[in-house]
Amino acid sequence: MKTIKIEDALKLENVVFIDVRTESEHEEDNILDAFSMPLFKDNEHNEVGTIYKMQGKHEAIKIGFDYVGYKLKDIYLNVLEAAKNHDNVVVYCARGGMRSGSVVNLVSSLGINVYQLEGGYKAYRNYVLDYLRNIMNTKEFIVVHGLTGVGKTDLLKMLEENNIDNIDLEGIAKNSGSTFGFITFDQKPPSQKKFETKIFEELFYSNSDYIFIESESKRVGHVCVPNEIYDAIIRDGHHILLECSTENRVKRLCRDYIHNQKIKKKTYKL
């Protein structure tokens, strides 16, 4: 069975991560939009864990077979499809234990070349936190300030279209800022872990040492900007003030918060 460390897995070309944790574990956070292929449902996982603690490993394995047995064909087909479309496949669970190990052993014995992630999601989470604590020693923010409606988000979108590194904190948080909150987002806001993961991904895969970012308060909707990132924005960033006419601010606000919302409401009725 091949294993790989997270720092090496993130450098692989054309890679897909397969998450065999439960749906709720995956929903809270996952690696690089991993494909969710849960071995157990939440209640099944809880039961297996309880039996493991109370009766031991072998009794837990027995009940685990009851829950997994009928899924083996789908597991094989899903991993096979992933391997056809990607050069590298990395399977992970919570801590790099039995769930991912059993899947990797199974598909490897059937001729599919995959990796098991050492330490699982826990290793990834520790890597993310350590990265965020230290990355601002080498990266710098160009911080965009301005009143609501001056076009800060439009600027970030223009930069994105021109492949210039930027981080849209409001977009990641699914929040329209302190004035309009969640009015423009239909999606569920992310967990704190997922919010931090998305910031990590933007920084990790950035091409420049200078990254544009909109000035934000510590809290953005339901989530908080990590301390090191917030300090780098407030204290160490290069600051730009964006301005426009009152007329253009009104037009932009009407476009974003009135016209676009009417379109969404009509779409829902169809």
Side-chain angles (χ1 to χ4, degrees):
M1 181 171 65
K2 293 198 306 182
T3 63
I4 190 169
K5 295 182 182 297
I6 185 60
E7 54 265 36
D8 297 320
L10 291 172
K11 298 175 184 177
L12 292 172
E13 297 291 335
N14 192 24
V15 60
V16 61
F17 288 85
I18 295 180
D19 185 354
V20 299
R21 301 175 301 158
T22 64
E23 290 182 354
S24 62
E25 289 175 295
H26 178 84
E27 175 64 22
E28 183 181 26
D29 189 28
N30 55 79
I31 305 175
L32 293 179
D33 295 323
F35 174 72
S36 179
M37 190 181 71
L39 278 189
F40 303 116
K41 297 177 181 178
D42 289 307
N43 64 308
E44 294 171 346
H45 183 241
N46 291 336
E47 183 178 354
V48 170
T50 300
I51 292 175
Y52 185 93
K53 291 178 181 178
M54 302 298 292
Q55 301 179 37
K57 177 179 177 179
H58 294 294
E59 291 301 319
I61 290 175
K62 289 180 183 179
I63 191 68
F65 273 122
D66 291 336
Y67 291 139
V68 175
Y70 72 94
K71 304 173 186 174
L72 293 180
K73 180 180 177 180
D74 287 338
I75 289 172
Y76 168 73
L77 292 176
N78 284 329
V79 179
L80 179 63
E81 185 68 16
K84 287 180 179 178
N85 296 318
H86 298 84
D87 295 330
N88 297 284
V89 178
V90 181
V91 180
Y92 73 94
C93 59
R95 295 179 177 83
M98 290 185 63
R99 283 186 285 178
S100 58
S102 61
V103 170
V104 171
N105 278 324
L106 170 66
V107 299
S108 295
S109 69
L110 297 174
I112 305 177
N113 189 26
V114 300
Y115 293 98
Q116 180 190 22
L117 181 64
E118 293 183 19
Y121 170 78
K122 184 177 180 180
Y124 174 72
R125 176 64 178 165
N126 289 335
Y127 186 86
V128 168
L129 293 176
D130 184 64
Y131 186 92
L132 293 177
R133 279 192 292 265
N134 295 286
I135 186 57
M136 299 319 299
N137 294 329
T138 57
K139 300 281 188 180
E140 295 185 61
F141 285 133
I142 301 173
V143 187
V144 182
H145 299 261
L147 297 172
T148 300
V150 299
K152 300 187 292 295
T153 300
D154 286 351
L155 174 61
L156 294 181
K157 289 179 179 178
M158 290 172 58
L159 293 171
E160 182 72 25
E161 291 170 357
N162 287 277
N163 297 315
I164 298 175
D165 291 321
N166 71 90
I167 298 177
D168 181 3
L169 292 175
E170 290 183 352
I172 296 173
K174 303 293 183 277
N175 182 271
S176 301
S178 57
T179 304
F180 294 101
F182 301 100
I183 191 172
T184 59
F185 288 98
D186 301 321
Q187 296 170 281
K188 179 182 177 181
S191 67
Q192 181 65 33
K193 288 182 179 179
K194 185 175 288 188
F195 180 65
E196 292 169 356
T197 286
K198 292 301 180 183
I199 294 174
F200 159 77
E201 290 174 5
E202 296 287 352
L203 289 167
F204 187 83
Y205 292 106
S206 61
N207 297 311
S208 172
D209 290 336
Y210 294 91
I211 301 169
F212 282 84
I213 194 166
E214 184 177 346
S215 175
E216 294 289 350
S217 59
K218 173 69 174 174
R219 187 170 189 85
V220 187
H222 286 305
V223 293
C224 293
V225 179
N227 291 333
E228 292 79 10
I229 303 301
Y230 184 71
D231 289 344
I233 293 173
I234 299 301
R235 184 186 62 218
D236 302 322
H238 305 276
H239 300 272
I240 296 175
L241 178 61
L242 193 62
E243 296 180 320
C244 74
S245 67
T246 301
E247 180 182 1
N248 283 335
R249 283 185 65 204
V250 171
K251 288 180 179 179
R252 188 173 287 109
L253 291 172
C254 289
R255 179 200 69 186
D256 292 343
Y257 301 108
I258 298 177
H259 178 66
N260 286 348
Q261 294 310 300
K262 288 181 179 179
I263 292 176
K264 288 181 181 179
K265 288 179 180 179
K266 289 180 181 179
T267 301
Y268 277 120
K269 291 178 180 179
L270 293 178

